[in-house]
Amino acid sequence: MKFLIALAALIVLAPAAACAGTPGEQFFERLSALCGKTFTGQVAAGDAADEAFRKAELVMTVAHCDARQIRIPFRVGEDRSRTWIITRLDDGRLRLKHDHRHADGVEDELSRYGGDTLEPGTAQAQRFPVDEESKALFTRLNRTVSNTNVWALGLTDSQFTYELSRPNRLFRVAFDLTRPAPSGP
């Protein structure tokens, strides 16, 4: 009888344990739940360099989700050149890369930069310090100020945030998840 009770407990608890995962996996699953939805945002922290962002309509669409990757195009006014790519790594951590394209779809020379989570983070927040590949790209393009970048993504029930920080620089955009926007072209 004890064996049957233990077996029943394992069967009931196994799916919950499988869903628990690392904080990175939890974050990824929570973000995946937004797939197909579009949200508007605004600059929540920045400086004079971000004036164009403050004046433009900021829109993100959680456009493509599969078991390994989430792609989020980020539109700044009519500029559709940016996509955030969040990838689930085999060890439960996450990777954030930035895909920048010209209007004709050709990849910009400043593209595919980002980093991997080094710490577990939480189901609500993940930090991505700049990786070595991105440092090499920034150095090659004379943008060494970016070699200390740390990106962060935040996710609550009501808000998604994207943040870039480095010494003397903080940029954050916050998106309202309580009011999905119509999906645009």
Side-chain angles (χ1 to χ4, degrees), residues 114-176:
D116 297 350
T117 56
L118 300 178
E119 301 165 355
T122 68
Q124 295 79 32
Q126 294 288 310
R127 291 174 37 90
F128 305 86
V130 64
D131 60 26
E132 293 304 317
E133 177 184 21
S134 300
K135 287 179 185 178
L137 174 67
F138 293 143
T139 299
R140 184 171 54 81
L141 297 177
N142 296 316
R143 296 174 183 252
T144 55
V145 69
S146 297
N147 284 346
T148 57
N149 282 1
V150 176
W151 296 274
L153 300 177
L155 181 60
T156 67
D157 290 339
S158 61
Q159 189 175 75
F160 175 85
T161 56
Y162 165 90
E163 178 180 288
L164 160 66
S165 64
R166 64 178 174 247
N168 301 311
R169 178 76 167 116
L170 176 63
F171 173 73
R172 183 181 310 116
V173 181
F175 296 87
D176 182 358

Side-chain angles (χ1 to χ4, degrees), residues 18 26 38 40 49 58-59 61 63 78 80 98 118 121 133 158:
Q26 293 168 10
T38 298
T40 59
L58 305 179
V59 179
T61 301
E78 296 303 314
R80 299 173 182 272
H98 299 73
L118 300 178
E133 177 184 21
S158 61

Side-chain angles (χ1 to χ4, degrees), residues 80-97:
R80 299 173 182 272
S81 65
R82 300 165 179 86
T83 300
W84 300 318
I85 304 170
I86 299 98
T87 304
R88 183 190 308 223
L89 303 177
D90 290 336
D91 61 5
R93 296 179 307 125
L94 300 177
R95 172 172 293 144
L96 171 66
K97 290 290 183 167

